[in-house]
Amino acid sequence: AQSVTQLGSHVSVSEGALVLLRCNYSSSVPPYLFWYVQYPNQGLQLLLKYTSAATLVKGINGFEAEFKKSETSFHLTKPSAHMSDAAEYFCAVSGAAGNKLTFGGGTRVLVKP
Amino acid sequence: NAGVTQTPKFQVLKTGQSMTLQCAQDMNHEYMSWYRQDPGMGLRLIHYSVGAGITDQGEVPNGYNVSRSTTEDFPLRLLSAAPSQTSVYFCASRELAGGRSYEQYFGPGTRLTVT
């Protein structure tokens, strides 16, 4: 069984400030991890994914995430927030057979000018 | 490619009514799935399919039926709607070969309200 915990359901950052979204997972098999972004009234779009290659993964829109096995974490960061980053972000882990994607509860990001 | 399409975008049902949420993809993906999104709970898997004629239950299957007669289509049926099924429903698809490293592509969602 797998699970995902995202710390903080809401995060508020100033434009230009660091964005840090936390994700911790549990998995009975080596995990494949994903970050998705959801803009208002839209579906989910993949930001980046970890598939056991490099532990530092770069995604779209300047986001990156680091896989830390010892901490069972896959935190998402962006050095400088932009107004267009306001959205909800979901961390997800893929199950052993790949047929079940388990999502965290989501973190809504508000960017202040 | 249109990707993953869902209809309708919005729907209001009365308790006990039935309806079908439509999902189609034009990427020739073998794997398709349905999720529901509720505040603070992320997305939860309802049902999924790994090919035509093959379906299986996810985390929250009660009250929902699915079938997969073609690769392209994966409809979700609510036989007797209940207020607890008020949610936003997303359909997703991905390639099956290559396993769990492949990203899922999501449709735009259907917002369902059951009164």
Side-chain angles (χ1 to χ4, degrees):
Chain A
Q2 65 266 8
S3 66
V4 176
T5 301
Q6 292 184 238
L7 295 178
S9 58
H10 291 80
V11 168
S12 181
V13 299
S14 297
E15 193 174 18
L18 171 73
V19 179
L20 170 60
L21 305 183
R22 300 179 187 276
C23 171
N24 289 88
Y25 69 91
S26 68
S27 177
S28 57
V29 295
Y32 283 179
L33 295 155
F34 304 81
W35 275 102
Y36 283 87
V37 60
Q38 183 182 32
Y39 299 104
N41 299 315
Q42 294 187 26
L44 277 71
Q45 177 184 359
L46 182 70
L47 271 180
L48 50 80
K49 63 181 181 181
Y50 168 76
T51 58
S52 76
T55 57
L56 183 62
V57 181
K58 294 188 182 300
I60 62 172
N61 301 338
F63 284 92
E64 64 181 34
E66 185 172 11
F67 172 71
K68 292 187 176 181
K69 184 178 179 180
S70 61
E71 299 177 7
T72 61
S73 69
F74 190 55
H75 301 332
L76 181 71
T77 60
K78 181 174 181 178
S80 177
H82 191 272
M83 296 300 291
S84 61
D85 295 325
E88 190 159 18
Y89 294 79
F90 294 93
C91 182
V93 62
S94 183
N99 292 334
K100 299 184 179 183
L101 198 60
T102 299
F103 285 85
T107 299
R108 189 173 298 277
V109 173
L110 172 66
V111 182
K112 299 177 293 184
Chain B
N1 287 349
V4 180
T5 58
Q6 293 182 237
T7 56
K9 288 189 176 181
F10 301 95
Q11 183 71 50
V12 178
L13 290 178
K14 295 186 186 303
T15 298
Q17 287 185 318
S18 63
M19 79 160 297
T20 299
L21 307 185
Q22 301 291 344
C23 174
Q25 53 92 9
D26 61 0
M27 297 174 283
N28 202 32
H29 287 167
E30 294 171 294
Y31 179 92
M32 295 186 73
S33 56
W34 277 101
Y35 294 86
R36 59 177 290 172
Q37 182 181 22
D38 302 293
M41 304 187 74
L43 280 75
R44 292 179 292 168
L45 182 65
I46 304 172
H47 286 285
Y48 67 95
S49 168
V50 296
I54 306 170
T55 63
D56 205 348
Q57 295 181 349
E59 182 184 355
V60 287
N62 292 340
Y64 307 95
N65 281 351
V66 292
S67 60
R68 184 96 177 269
S69 57
T70 67
T71 300
E72 295 78 19
D73 301 297
F74 190 44
L76 178 72
R77 297 184 185 84
L78 285 71
L79 297 179
S80 179
S84 61
Q85 294 178 304
T86 294
S87 187
V88 182
Y89 292 85
F90 289 98
C91 180
S93 73
R94 70 166 173 83
E95 296 180 34
L96 192 61
R100 55 199 184 99
S101 68
Y102 277 66
E103 71 172 282
Q104 294 199 36
Y105 294 83
F106 286 82
T110 295
R111 188 175 296 273
L112 176 67
T113 301
V114 182
T115 61

